[in-house]
Structure formats: structure tokens, C-alpha cells
Amino acid sequence: MTMLDWLQDYTIQNVVIGAALLGLISGVLGSFAVLRKQSLLGDTLSHAALPGVCIGFIIAGTRNMGSILLGALVSGALAALLMLVLTRNSRLKTDAGLGITLSTFFALGVVLLTYIQGMNNASQGGLDSFLFGQAAATLRSDLWIMGGITVAALGLVALLWKEFKLVSFDPGFAASLGLPVVWLDVLLTVMIALAVVVGLQMVGVVLMAAMVIAPAVAARQWSHRLEGMVTLAAVIGVSGGIFGALLSALSRGLATGPLIILSVSSVVLVSLLFAPERGFVWEAVRLRRSRRRLRYQQVLTTLYQLAAAHADSTYRSGQGMIDTYHGISTQRALHKLHRRGYVVHHAPPPEEPNTAGQWVLTPAGLSEAERILESLGREEL
Amino acid sequence: MAELHEPNLALHVEDLTVSYQSKPVLWDIDFDVPPGVMAAIVGPNGAGKSTLIKSVLGLVPVVAGHVTLFGRPYKDQRRRVGYVPQRSSVDWDFPTTALDVVTMGLYGRLGWLKRPGRRERQEAMQALEKVGMQDFAQRQISQLSGGQQQRVFLARALVQNADVYFLDEPMAGVDATTEKAIVDILRRLRDEGKTVIVVHHDLQTVRTYFDWLLLLNVRVVAQGEVGDVYTAANLRKAYGGQIALLDESAFLPPQERDVPVTEKLP
């Protein structure tokens, strides 16, 4: 198969477009879910969609996409509602509420799934593909449904941008302005449920949560504005989706959904490690640098205080004394100070058994030490 | 036109009761604040101070009672009210800038679907200048210190251009400079004739900062002009045994009072 044939392949086209749509909607809505500390909500909604999928199948009597997705949406929304009722009216905390709802609905879904399998219905084939997704089964008609949902959700986010932003940042203040916080909450939750529904066919109920959380988490690492974060999450979601879909098309036999999740997750990994200011590597480098700077500043001020204590600005401090004061070897810090011209080295005087020599502050060193102490508010003097 | 209920009071709270899971948090509160004063709500932990503010603003459901501002219920007076929530009530790692947070104070006036534009950004910038934060306008809010975050919150309430301001512990966990800046701004608001109602935690400064006082411990212990209410007997009633921890000097008249209370009130 040549490259051109490959790109014209009907199934591959469907899968790639579907994956891109999924990345788009889950990246945008996932950003709000993550910022509102509702990452687990996506997980609950997707697991809770399974009984809906089965009931939709039972009612339609066949693998009808419309009734299956509607069932998924209804049971996902029911789960979210149950979770809200549980946490508002009992002492249950949100995490416990989400956990209980998730497992109960999922268990119900698996029971229904095995029940359907026992019915010996010829058209039941592949219903369990909703567990891990079966991207290759995506039809052109499914894409229209997915596309419609995505456009509607993105339109709502664009229209209610500032309201969603305020409700996510400071719901108390939003309510004091008269915004219907509860309804905006419900709307965001329903839209996340819609995103989950879009992803059921592609990645399945088990992995869908990662699709909601991962692009948002990665984007947050790189962006300091909500606008930037949402846009970047959409880009990461779309490109991760397309990349995963193409990868699975190249290597026939490997599951598409998990490959999409893996591509998005690798972006998360890179972002967590290398993003400026928020990445681990950045953090580690900054810590190391500030520790080094602190060390040599401490040594410099020690020299200054020794000189001050002896009322002699050219006081010769013995290296052994400085080492003892700091409890470690200060050789490296002293050489660094020497290179910067803050101290000069004197050979040990003949009458002392000292081997390492003595150090004297230069005028530049004196004023630098004063500057450091000044910035500390002279607390140490 | 229907007659207004207590139109001469900036805030009128009558028979207010709030409960969480059948345990009363506020019990039968009657609380009035005249316009143009700086009022403190003071009481021990768990006295319901924040809950009182939140129930006035309709943020927590009330079991009984009613609230009016200048004679009308809160939902008709939203535009005349500014609110500063507790700083710890939001996640300061939210991806946004100081200027953007201040602009949020104008969302109520903007209404649905409209986006903040140049004019709104200008107003927000002026509010930032008032709190001395103009140089931090484009700063990511997670990079601000606690005191700077509190000033941003105050600026957000200032753009609301309200007649009554509610502030929930604005002086908690801020540095001395910020505390002074906040008090100065609040005094200026009061001098402009606005009413400022503050949940306050520091008994030592109550008499210096405020001219009206509500002592609260689930019920109202005492209320009125700070000079009349701030007595050892009332404080003991509000704080119970905890009052022993207080310095005796707290009851002596303050050495220097910035604005004598008696001069401020008619």
C-alpha cells in the first residue's frame, strides 16, 4: 500500500478524524475539569456510561449508535447527579462519592454486559469493545454525531467563556454577583459527559478519563493564562489523537485507543519534566543553583562578620576556622569567591600549624557582603 | 410602590438562623449597620462570622429570617455590594493574571455574553493603582505573596464601585505593610460615605480600626458603637474561658487612636 492509498483508506480517515475530534473536545473541557479539581469526574462519568451503553443496546435490540450513545449520556448524567446528591446531603467527601458511584455503575454495566452476552443475540458482537474502544469500527455517521457534539460544546464554551472562568476560579464570588453557579456547574458537567460519550467508541470507558485529564495537565505546565491553556490542551489533544491513530494504522493489530492515550501521556511526561518554571528539571536546576549561591553567600558573610568582630577589615580568617564554623569544607565556595575577586588568599604564616592558608576580604568582597546582609534586613547581625 | 423595610440601614438582618446538618451555626441573629461606618464582626472560632456574611450574600441557605440592604433584599441590590472572600477560598495556582482577577469584579455589570474590553481593563488598572499593585498587573497570581494576593482581591471589590462592602478576614496572614494599606483604603471608602463590614480576627486592633462592632458567638452577644460594645464583660460573654488568654492591657483605652470614634459618629 503506498502512502497515498494509505491516506485515502476509508477506515483510516474515519479513525483519524474521530481521534482529532475527541482530542479537541476533551482537551477543552478537560481543562475546566482539571482546574475545578474534578479530574476524577471524567473517570466516574466514563465508567458510569457502561450500563447506559448496555441498556441502549437492549432497548434498540441492535448495535444502534444513536441509542447507545444516548443511553451512555443518560447513565453518565445520572451518576453525576447521584454523586452530587451524595456529597451535598451526607458527610461523604467528593473523592469517596466519586469512587462509590464509579464502581457501582461500572459493576452494573459489567453485569448487564454478561447478561447480553448470554442472550445469544447475533448482533451483540463487539459490545465489549466499549470497554477499551474499537476505533476501527467508527463509521462516517458516527463522525457526524461526534462532530455535532464537539461544535455545540465548543460554541457554548466560547459564549460563556467569562462565566465559566469565574465559576472555575472563585465560585463564591460568582454567586455573589448573581451568576447561577449551580446551573453553570451542571452545564460543565453535562458537557464533560458529552465529551466522554464522544470518546466511548474510540478509547472506551476505562481509558477515557486519561483523555480528559492528560491534555489539560500537560497544557497547564506551559501556559499561565486560561486562554493559552485551553488552546494548548486542544492542540495537544488533537495531535495526540491523530498521532495515536496513525501509529495504530501503521502497525496493524495494535489497539488505537490505548495508543492515543499513550501519545497524549508522553506529552504529559515531557511537560512535567521540562516545562519552564513548573517542570521537575527546571525546579531541580533552580534549587541546585540557589543552594550553591546560598553557600557562597554564607561563607562571604561569615568572613565579613569575623572581620567585623575583630574590627579589622583586612582580618585574615583561617580556612580551618571557616570550615569549622560551617561544619563542612568551604574550599569550593572560597575558590568561587576568589574567582569573583571578593577574597584574596594568603599562605599560612610560618608560626601556625595551619595548612590551608588564610583568606582576606577585598573591598569588592566587603561591599558585596554588606549588600547581602542589607537584603537580609541585617537579621543575622 | 411598596414601602421599603428599614431603608435607612445599610444592612438589616432580622431573626436570621442558619444551620448545617441540623446544628445551628447562627441562631436568631438581629443585626443592623447604619450607613457610613466601618463595622467589625468579631467572635471566637466557629462563631459563624463568615457564615453571617455568606448568608447575607445568599451564598449559604438560611433556615429562617430575612436580610435587607437599604430597605431591599440582596438580590435587588447586588450592584451596590462589593465582596472580598477569604483569600484561602480560591486556588491561587489558577492560570490567570492579577489584572484579569480584578476585571472579574466587573462581570456583574457586564452581564451575559459581553466580553471585558479596553474600558474594563482601564478600570481594573486604576483599582490596582489604588492598592499599589499596578506593577504586578500582568503577574501570574501564583507568583504573588499572600499580602499581594489580598490586595488584588481588594482591588476586585473596588472596581465593583459598591455602597456596601463585605470583607472576610482581609487582614488574615498578611504583612504589616499590607494590613496598613488595607485599613487606609477601607477608611477612605468609609469617608466617602460607604459602609464597610469586615470579619476580623484580631481583638487588639478592633478599637483602632473600627467604629462599629458586632460581637458574635452563634448568637449576637452585643452590637453597636465600638466604644460601648468593647467591654471586658461583653468579650468574656463572647469568648468564654478563652478570654483569659487576652492581655489585660487590651481593655485599657488605646494610647493612640487614629480616628477618635466619637468624632466619626453623629
Side-chain angles (χ1 to χ4, degrees), chain A residues 35 37 90-91 158-163 165-166 168-170 172-173 175-180 184 220 223-227 229 277-278, chain B residues 21 59 74 78 83 85 90-91 93-97 100-101 104-105 107-108 110-116 138 140-141 143 153 156 160:
Chain A
L35 288 176
K37 317 250 180 297
S90 74
R91 279 156 201 263
L159 275 179
L160 299 177
W161 177 263
K162 78 175 193 302
E163 284 79 12
K165 176 160 79 176
L166 184 53
S168 306
F169 173 61
D170 192 347
F173 186 74
S176 85
L177 293 181
L179 288 183
L184 290 168
R220 176 66 189 99
S223 175
H224 296 313
R225 297 294 303 264
L226 185 61
E227 290 81 357
M229 175 179 168
E277 289 180 27
R278 299 176 71 92
Chain B
Q21 279 148 6
L59 304 182
Y74 175 66
R78 284 188 208 285
Y83 174 42
V90 305
D91 175 12
D93 198 34
F94 196 87
T96 189
T97 60
D100 205 32
V101 171
M104 290 175 186
Y107 284 7
L110 273 173
W112 295 89
L113 306 183
K114 269 187 231 114
R115 298 260 169 128
Q138 295 303 329
Q140 164 76 11
I141 54 171
Q143 293 168 354
F153 256 21
R156 182 177 69 175
Q160 292 186 277

Side-chain angles (χ1 to χ4, degrees), chain A residues 53-116:
Chain A
V53 168
C54 296
I55 291 170
F57 175 85
I58 292 171
I59 290 173
T62 168
R63 203 188 146 112
N64 175 310
M65 211 52 186
S67 63
I68 283 177
L69 291 190
L70 192 65
L73 184 62
V74 169
S75 73
L78 265 181
L81 202 68
L82 180 70
M83 197 278 290
L84 271 181
V85 170
L86 274 180
T87 48
R88 293 221 167 176
N89 299 321
S90 74
R91 279 156 201 263
L92 220 57
K93 296 283 175 284
T94 310
D95 56 343
L98 285 168
I100 287 175
T101 328
L102 181 155
S103 36
T104 311
F105 273 73
F106 190 61
L108 184 64
V110 173
V111 168
L112 285 172
L113 205 59
T114 45
Y115 168 75
I116 292 169

Side-chain angles (χ1 to χ4, degrees), chain A residues 221-222 267-283:
Chain A
Q221 290 292 103
W222 302 92
V267 181
V268 173
L269 188 67
V270 170
S271 309
L272 286 178
L273 282 177
F274 300 110
E277 289 180 27
R278 299 176 71 92
F280 286 132
V281 172
W282 179 280
E283 200 60 44

